[in-house]
Amino acid sequence: MADLLTQEEIDRALATELPRWAQQGEAITRSVTAPTFMDGIRLVQQVAEVAEDLDHHPDIDIRWTTITFTLSTHSAGGLTMKDLRLAGDIDRLAD
């Protein structure tokens, strides 16, 4: 099982590596606005492929062109390095 991050580690990552993400309780979240609905669906497909390779799956909410990703390691009860890694991968795909 993955080790939980400390609040200091989470704060540092959000401030330096993942500034587009925000902590919400035991998770981090980011919304992306795609140019079109189909661009958003393509982004979701790309994220799904990366998540499957990592065996770490985000919660994904699709609202027309706004896609919200929420990450937490449920088996660990909070945030782990798995979440930070996937958040970085999502940032690269979304940019």
Side-chain angles (χ1 to χ4, degrees), residues 75-94:
S75 62
L79 292 163
T80 68
M81 287 302 296
K82 289 182 173 186
D83 300 300
L84 300 185
R85 178 174 178 196
L86 183 54
D89 289 339
I90 291 170
D91 282 351
R92 283 185 282 287
L93 291 169

